[in-house]
């Protein structure tokens, strides 16, 4: 049975491609300067800091913003990017259908009881 063999196959081992590096004081100061200059434009911040990737910067920013919020020290925290509106709104259920279904369910319960 081929399907069972596929399900029992072990996952590929997780490997860290880069060793974790702490942010130096200089990198963090450059990060703070770039936040005031570019808000949440991660690619511009990446080029400003120079030694960290966008993913590392976003992770650092997330932790930094939480720390600032927790301490309430009032450092500059740029507002979050506005959420995108969906081009295809989710279909809304018609209230007439919901009312009719509820009435039918109540009628069925009354007939059964």
């Amino acid at each position: 049975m081929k399907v069972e063999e596929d399900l029992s196959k072990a996952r590929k081992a997780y490997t860290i491609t880069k060793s974790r590096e702490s942010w130096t004081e200089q990198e963090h100061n450059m990060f703070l300067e770039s936040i005031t200059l570019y808000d949440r434009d991660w690619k511009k911040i990446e080029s400003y800091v120079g030694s960290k990737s966008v993913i590392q910067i976003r992770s650092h920013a997330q932790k930094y913003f939480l720390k600032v919020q927790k301490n309430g020290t009032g450092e500059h925290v740029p507002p979050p990017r506005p959420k995108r509106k969906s081009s295809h709104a989710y279909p809304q259920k018609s209230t007439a259908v919901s009312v009719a279904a509820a009435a039918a369910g109540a009628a069925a319960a009354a007939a059964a009881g």
Side-chain angles (χ1 to χ4, degrees):
M1 296 229 190
K2 180 92 171 133
V3 174
E4 288 178 13
E5 289 172 13
D6 289 343
L7 292 176
S8 65
K9 199 183 267 188
R11 270 190 170 169
K12 181 181 169 187
Y14 176 73
T15 56
I16 298 173
T17 53
K18 281 187 177 178
S19 61
R20 286 181 63 113
E21 297 174 13
S22 297
W23 283 64
T24 65
E25 191 174 336
Q26 181 185 4
E27 287 171 332
H28 181 69
N29 290 337
M30 291 177 78
F31 164 77
L32 294 177
E33 289 173 20
S34 61
I35 285 290
T36 58
L37 293 171
Y38 305 119
D39 283 345
R40 292 178 189 252
D41 191 338
W42 307 123
K43 290 192 179 192
K44 286 183 181 177
I45 294 171
E46 177 188 31
S47 63
Y48 190 87
V49 173
S51 58
K52 300 289 182 184
S53 70
V54 170
I55 293 168
Q56 290 170 314
I57 290 168
R58 284 173 52 191
S59 176
H60 187 69
Q62 183 180 30
K63 292 172 191 167
Y64 173 73
F65 295 155
L66 287 172
K67 180 180 173 185
V68 167
Q69 185 180 14
K70 180 181 163 191
N71 295 340
T73 52
E75 281 103 342
H76 172 71
V77 175
R81 248 174 66 196
K83 303 256 189 252
R84 292 184 186 174
K85 297 270 185 194
S86 173
S87 59
H88 305 314
Y90 294 109
Q92 299 293 320
K93 289 185 177 177
S94 171
T95 54
V97 171
S98 299
V99 171

